Amino acid sequence: MNKELHGIVKGWESKVRKAQAAVKKKRAGSIFATMSVAHVDDDDLEIPRDKVYHVEQNLSNGDMYRGQWADNCPNGNGKYLWSDGCMYVGEWVTGNMNGKGKFCWPSGATYEGQFNNGLMDGEGTYIGCSNSSYKGDWVYNLRHGKGVKKYSNGDQYDGNWRRGRLDGQGRYQWSNGNQYIGQWRNGKMNGNGTMIWANGNRYDGCWEDGLPKGNGTYRWFDGSFYAGKWSQEPKEMSGTYYSSTSEIDQLDWNPQEVYSSCMRECKISRDDKISVFPSEKKVSCCPPEGDLSQKHSLRKNSRPKEGRELRSGSMAGRLSNGGFSSLGSESEIGFDGETGNIADIPRETRHQHIRIQPKKRQGNTITKGHRNYELMLNLQLGIRHSVGRPAPAKFLDLKATAFDPKEKIWTKFPPEGSKHTPPHQSCDFRWKDYCPLVFRTLRNLFKVDPADYMISICGNDALRELSSPGKSGSFFYLTNDDKYMIKTMKKSEVKVLLRMLPNYYNHVRAFENTLITKFYGLHCVKLTGAAQKKVRFVIMGNLFCTEYAIHRRFDLKGSSHGRLTDKPESEIDSTTTLKDLDLNFIFGLRKNWFEEFCRQVDKDCDFLEQERIMDYSLLVGVHFRQVSQSGEPLACEVRTFEISTSGGDINGSGSTPRNKRANSNPLDTSRWALGISMPARAEVTLRKNEFELIGEPTGEFYDIILFFSIIDILQDYDISKKLEHAYKSIQYDPTSISAVDPKQYSRRFRDFIFRVFAEDN
C-alpha cells in the first residue's frame, strides 16, 4: 500500500472510531469541520424533497457522509465512509453510486471509473492490494469487453474479456518471455492461436481447453518443423517431421514433450478476489434518529439528473414523488411534454391489466392406465439403453458418415429381455436411434452430463404430458425436473432435421450463444404386431427450467394474422402462451447484451434462411421482479435498474419486496448465457389500433428477468406451405401471414424482434 493511501485509510479509521463513540454518547457534531449548529426540532425542519443540499453528518449506523443530499439519501457529488473502512468518492443518484467515482477498500485496493447503481460498469481501473491491475471495460462488476490485466507475478493479458474471463482475441505475455496470441474461451486458449516460447520455438494451430488439439505445426528456431494432428492422447496424434535442410534428419523427439514439458511453463494466473463489491455495500438513506447536526445550504439546481429512458421521444412517463404514475389509474401521463388523461385513450388501445396467478405446474403426470403409459415406458427403456451404450472417445470433429440419414441403430426390446436389453413390463417394441454419435457429441458440446440426463428422463419419476397438442398436432412431454421437453414429430420434420443436421452441428459449435433450440436426441418407437405404429420424437432443452417463476410467456413471429390469443383476460395465467398482438412491452437490454443479442439473431436467421426454414418464432419468458401481495407487478422508477442473482420467492409468485435492494454477489456467470436469466427492463406500450404490431412506449417500466430462444425450426418451405401462402394471400394481406418465403420471413422476423428489443441506455 503506498504511503499516501495508507495515510488516508488510517485517517478515516481514526474518524470512524471517534464517530462511533460520539453516536454511543448521543452527541451531535460533524467529523468534517468544527462548527456550531443551533438545535432544531424534527417538526420545525422542512426540507423540500426535490431540492439538493450539502450535508456533513454522522449516520446512526456509524457511517459518515459529506456531500450533496436530497430525498433523504446521497444525491449529487459526495464522499461516503462505511464503518468497516470502505470509502466511495464520486457521483450519487438517489442513494446509489452512479457515474464517475472511486471506491477504496481497507486492504488498499481501489477502483476508479464508471458506476451504475453501485456496480462497476463502464470504463474503469482496478488496482489490487498485491499491485495487480486491470484497465478496461466492466459490466455488472465483471471484466467484459476490451481490457489490459497486469498480474502480480509479472504476467500480462491484453485483449477481450467476457463475463470476467479471457474470451475472444487476446495476447497473454508470461513473465518468463513466453507468449500466446490467438483466441480464448472461458479463460483458456481455445480456437486458432500461436504460442511462442522464449527460446524461439513456436506452435501455430488449433487449441482446445488450453492445450494444442487438432491440426497444428510446431517450429524450431532453426526452421525445422513438425506438422500433423495434435492430441494429449498419444494414440490420437499423428504427424510428419520436416528438416530445415534438404536432407531429412532422423528426429529423436517425442511430440508429447509439448504437453509434458513446454506447456508446464504456460499456466494462466488467477485473478484477484474482490472481498466485497461496491454494490453489496448498503447506504443509510435516512438522517440519524434524534441527531440533526447537519450543515446544509440550498443549491440553485434541483434534483439530480433523472435516470435514463429506454426510448426518447413520445410518451415519457411523468415522475411523481420520485416514481412513475401508474397507467392503471386515472393519473396523468406526459405526451411529448403535454398533459393528457388516460380516460381519453380509446378503450381498445389500453394495455391489459396484468394479474399474476399462483405458480402452476404444467401438464398431467402419466400414470398406469394413461393411454400413453406404455409409450412412456418404451421411451425410458430406449433412452437408458442409448445413453448407457459404450461409446468412442469424445471428439468434436466428426466424419461425414456420422451425419448420414442411414446412420441409425435398431434395437429389439422383447418383454422377456434379450442379450442387450433388460426384461420389462411393457409391450414388445423396437427402438431406433438416429445418428447416435452426432447427438451424443451434441450433448457433450452442450455440457449435458450423461448420468443426469438419464436420471431426468428415465428415473423413478414419470413424465408429464401437456394437456393439449400443439398446432402441428405434436404432443409434448416434460421430465419431472422440467429440464427436458420431448416432442413427437412427423416424418417430414425428421427428414428436415436429418437434412440440416451437419450444418446445425457446425452452427451450434461455432456460436456458443446461439438462440436456436438445442436438440439432444432423435428417436423412434415402433410397436410390433398388426398395428406397426411408429412414434418419432426429439428431445430438447426446456427454456423455462429455472428457479424464477415465469409470469408471462410470448411466442413471437412478426406476423399479425391469427396472432392474438382468444382467451379472456381472466383465464390468462403463467402457462398461457401469448402471441404477437398480445405483446404490450418493449424489452430493454444493457448495451453489451443488446449488441450481442442482435449479432446472434442475425447469425441464427442467416442459418435458418440458408436451410430454407420458416415459421419459427422467438419464445420469450418474463419474470417480474417486484410483485405486490395482490399479484400485480410493481412499476419501477426509470432510475432503478438493478441486477440480482437471487431468485426471490421461487415457490410462490417469485416476487421480490419492492424496497429490497439487490446486493447479492453477481458473479454467478452460469445464469448469464444469452437468453437465460437476463436482467432487463420492460416498458409498457399502447397500440393506436388493434392491427399495430408495436405500440407507443408509455414511460411505465418493470424490472424483469428474461428468457428467450428461437423455437420451431423444423418447418421447411415445402409445397404445402407454398400453397398455403398462395391461398391466404388472396384473402389477407400477404405480409401479415406466417407462411411466406424463408428470405422474406427472416427479414420480417428480424425487423420485428429488433423493435421488440431495444438498448437500455
Side-chain angles (χ1 to χ4, degrees):
M1 186 187 304
N2 59 56
K3 293 182 179 179
E4 181 182 357
L5 186 58
H6 181 78
I8 293 174
V9 173
K10 286 295 183 183
W12 278 109
E13 289 176 348
S14 175
K15 291 179 181 180
V16 169
R17 288 192 291 270
K18 291 180 181 179
Q20 289 174 333
V23 170
K24 290 180 181 179
K25 295 179 181 179
K26 296 185 179 180
R27 293 177 181 174
S30 172
I31 66 167
F32 300 103
T34 303
M35 63 184 192
S36 177
V37 180
H39 176 74
V40 181
D41 292 330
D42 290 355
D43 295 334
D44 296 332
L45 184 63
E46 295 183 0
I47 301 177
R49 293 178 59 86
D50 60 346
K51 302 300 180 182
V52 177
Y53 289 83
H54 183 82
V55 301
E56 298 177 354
Q57 64 180 24
N58 306 335
L59 302 173
S60 57
N61 60 357
D63 297 348
M64 309 169 200
Y65 177 75
R66 177 176 68 185
Q68 292 176 302
W69 187 274
D71 287 345
N72 285 337
C73 61
N75 243 320
N77 289 296
K79 180 187 295 185
Y80 196 105
L81 174 70
W82 285 268
S83 58
D84 63 359
C86 291
M87 180 178 68
Y88 171 77
V89 182
E91 299 176 356
W92 298 81
V93 175
T94 60
N96 286 314
M97 293 169 266
N98 261 295
K100 293 182 179 180
K102 183 175 183 179
F103 191 94
C104 302
W105 285 263
S107 63
T110 63
Y111 169 83
E112 186 169 5
Q114 293 288 333
F115 285 83
N116 183 5
N117 283 315
L119 298 155
M120 299 181 288
D121 194 301
E123 293 183 0
T125 300
Y126 175 82
I127 300 176
C129 57
S130 58
N131 291 325
S132 63
S133 66
Y134 170 82
K135 183 178 182 180
D137 297 332
W138 297 76
V139 173
Y140 290 147
N141 289 346
L142 295 175
R143 302 171 183 90
H144 189 95
K146 292 184 178 180
V148 177
K149 169 75 175 180
K150 295 181 180 179
Y151 297 87
S152 56
N153 63 355
D155 293 356
Q156 178 173 316
Y157 173 77
D158 185 352
N160 290 320
W161 296 74
R162 177 183 171 83
R163 296 167 187 155
R165 297 180 180 178
L166 291 66
D167 202 299
Q169 191 71 20
R171 173 184 176 181
Y172 194 101
Q173 179 85 38
W174 282 266
S175 58
N176 59 12
N178 299 341
Q179 62 175 315
Y180 170 83
I181 306 170
Q183 295 176 318
W184 297 77
R185 180 181 292 179
N186 291 329
K188 295 182 179 180
M189 296 166 278
N190 205 98
N192 293 319
T194 299
M195 175 71 75
I196 303 174
W197 283 268
N199 61 10
N201 296 345
R202 62 186 288 166
Y203 169 82
D204 300 90
C206 298
W207 296 75
E208 188 174 304
D209 289 334
L211 296 171
K213 181 71 177 291
N215 295 322
T217 302
Y218 185 90
R219 301 177 186 273
W220 285 265
F221 63 92
D222 64 357
S224 303
F225 64 94
Y226 177 92
K229 190 172 183 179
W230 292 75
S231 175
Q232 199 172 7
E233 296 292 332
K235 62 181 180 180
E236 300 169 8
M237 191 167 184
S238 61
T240 305
Y241 170 75
Y242 297 90
S243 173
S244 59
T245 63
S246 58
E247 299 179 358
I248 300 179
D249 300 329
Q250 183 66 32
L251 178 67
D252 186 17
W253 177 76
N254 184 354
Q256 287 296 308
E257 290 182 14
V258 172
Y259 298 94
S260 60
S261 177
C262 300
M263 292 305 300
R264 285 186 177 180
E265 306 171 3
C266 304
K267 301 295 183 182
I268 308 302
S269 298
R270 292 185 177 182
D271 286 329
D272 298 335
K273 288 187 177 180
I274 298 177
S275 57
V276 60
F277 289 94
S279 54
E280 297 178 279
K281 300 299 294 178
K282 295 182 179 180
V283 175
S284 181
C285 290
C286 58
E289 184 178 351
D291 181 11
L292 293 174
S293 57
Q294 55 181 334
K295 178 181 178 181
H296 57 271
S297 56
L298 180 62
R299 305 297 182 188
K300 291 183 180 180
N301 58 314
S302 61
R303 75 169 58 209
K305 187 178 180 180
E306 296 298 353
R308 62 216 162 141
E309 295 180 354
L310 199 64
R311 296 194 170 198
S312 59
S314 59
M315 300 186 76
R318 167 177 277 183
L319 283 170
S320 175
N321 293 328
F324 276 92
S325 306
S326 171
L327 290 178
S329 62
E330 300 297 319
S331 56
E332 293 181 342
I333 55 177
F335 292 83
D336 294 326
E338 298 179 3
T339 303
N341 194 290
I342 196 168
D344 299 329
I345 302 174
R347 182 181 300 273
E348 63 272 11
T349 61
R350 299 186 192 182
H351 69 272
Q352 291 182 341
H353 179 70
I354 303 173
R355 175 77 65 176
I356 304 301
Q357 304 291 344
K359 190 174 180 180
K360 187 176 172 182
R361 192 170 173 84
Q362 276 189 288
N364 302 314
T365 302
I366 301 175
T367 56
K368 196 166 185 178
H370 191 282
R371 57 192 176 90
N372 287 326
Y373 179 72
E374 285 196 343
L375 177 63
M376 179 191 73
L377 294 181
N378 298 344
L379 186 152
Q380 291 178 325
L381 286 166
I383 293 294
R384 189 179 292 112
H385 174 75
S386 298
V387 176
R389 184 189 300 124
K394 298 176 181 179
F395 295 114
L396 294 181
D397 295 321
L398 299 178
K399 296 180 180 179
T401 54
F403 297 93
D404 190 335
K406 297 180 181 178
E407 186 69 17
K408 49 197 174 188
I409 300 175
W410 278 104
T411 305
K412 292 183 178 180
F413 279 82
E416 65 276 10
S418 67
K419 183 179 179 181
H420 303 289
T421 62
H424 58 85
Q425 298 178 353
S426 183
C427 60
D428 191 5
F429 71 96
R430 296 181 68 194
W431 172 262
K432 183 196 288 188
D433 267 332
Y434 294 92
C435 300
L437 181 57
V438 176
F439 286 102
R440 183 183 291 269
T441 310
L442 280 173
R443 293 194 295 271
N444 178 43
L445 187 66
F446 295 142
K447 296 179 174 57
V448 174
D449 182 77
D452 291 342
Y453 182 73
M454 189 185 300
I455 291 172
S456 292
I457 302 175
C458 313
N460 295 328
D461 297 315
L463 302 177
R464 303 198 314 276
E465 182 182 59
L466 299 191
S467 55
S468 60
K471 185 179 177 182
S472 63
S474 299
F475 283 87
F476 292 86
Y477 304 92
L478 282 171
T479 56
N480 188 64
D481 58 8
D482 289 330
K483 285 185 178 180
Y484 304 103
M485 180 173 285
I486 301 167
K487 175 190 175 185
T488 62
M489 302 178 70
K490 297 178 181 177
K491 187 176 182 179
S492 59
E493 291 177 315
V494 173
K495 288 183 177 179
V496 171
L497 179 53
L498 292 175
R499 185 202 71 199
M500 65 187 287
L501 192 57
N503 292 335
Y504 170 84
Y505 178 83
N506 292 332
H507 182 79
V508 298
R509 183 180 175 185
F511 300 103
E512 180 185 13
N513 282 327
T514 180
L515 298 175
I516 289 178
T517 303
K518 292 178 171 62
F519 295 121
Y520 300 129
L522 181 62
H523 312 281
C524 175
V525 170
K526 182 179 180 181
L527 304 179
T528 58
Q532 293 287 304
K533 181 182 178 182
K534 286 185 179 180
V535 180
R536 304 170 182 86
F537 55 90
V538 65
I539 302 176
M540 307 173 289
N542 179 20
L543 176 66
F544 298 146
C545 178
T546 170
E547 71 273 30
Y548 292 101
I550 302 299
H551 297 138
R552 284 292 181 269
R553 58 187 72 196
F554 298 91
D555 183 88
L556 307 176
K557 293 186 177 183
S559 57
S560 58
H561 177 67
R563 302 298 295 165
L564 181 68
T565 303
D566 54 4
K567 275 189 175 183
E569 184 178 325
S570 59
E571 295 182 15
I572 294 176
D573 58 25
S574 60
T575 64
T576 304
T577 301
L578 304 171
K579 301 178 184 177
D580 301 63
L581 293 178
D582 300 304
L583 180 68
N584 59 328
F585 296 114
I586 292 174
F587 301 118
L589 296 175
R590 295 297 305 277
K591 180 180 179 181
N592 298 64
W593 288 347
F594 178 70
E595 291 174 352
E596 187 174 336
F597 169 76
C598 292
R599 285 194 297 268
Q600 194 57 56
V601 169
D602 279 332
K603 294 292 184 183
D604 290 342
C605 287
D606 286 341
F607 164 72
L608 295 173
E609 184 180 326
Q610 291 169 6
E611 294 298 317
R612 301 288 294 167
I613 302 297
M614 43 79 66
D615 212 24
Y616 47 88
S617 56
L618 186 75
L619 181 63
V620 180
V622 181
H623 166 83
F624 294 99
R625 295 183 59 202
Q626 298 178 347
V627 180
S628 68
Q629 293 183 351
S630 60
E632 296 181 358
L634 297 174
C636 68
E637 297 182 11
V638 174
R639 296 175 300 220
T640 306
F641 184 64
E642 300 171 341
I643 168 67
S644 171
T645 58
S646 60
D649 178 12
I650 63 177
N651 296 319
S653 63
S655 62
T656 305
R658 183 171 185 145
N659 61 351
K660 182 178 180 181
R661 292 191 179 274
N663 287 318
S664 58
N665 190 334
L667 284 177
D668 186 1
T669 56
S670 63
R671 302 184 184 183
W672 280 29
L674 187 64
I676 304 296
S677 303
M678 300 196 73
R681 199 165 55 182
E683 182 176 12
V684 178
T685 61
L686 289 177
R687 289 182 173 84
K688 295 178 182 178
N689 57 69
E690 57 183 332
F691 302 106
E692 189 178 31
L693 274 176
I694 304 291
E696 288 290 324
T698 64
E700 183 180 2
F701 293 85
Y702 295 101
D703 279 338
I704 60 172
I705 302 293
L706 271 183
F707 301 79
F708 46 83
S709 175
I710 297 177
I711 64 170
D712 294 338
I713 64 167
L714 299 179
Q715 180 56 62
D716 192 14
Y717 192 59
D718 54 15
I719 186 62
S720 64
K721 285 296 179 182
K722 292 177 181 179
L723 291 174
E724 180 184 344
H725 172 77
Y727 174 73
K728 289 186 176 180
S729 296
I730 298 174
Q731 298 177 300
Y732 310 102
D733 179 2
T735 62
S736 69
I737 60 178
S738 297
V740 295
D741 176 84
K743 189 172 184 179
Q744 181 183 347
Y745 191 94
S746 172
R747 184 169 58 249
R748 185 182 64 186
F749 177 81
R750 289 187 230 199
D751 179 66
F752 176 66
I753 295 303
F754 292 153
R755 292 170 63 198
V756 171
F757 285 78
E759 179 185 331
D760 183 7
N761 53 15

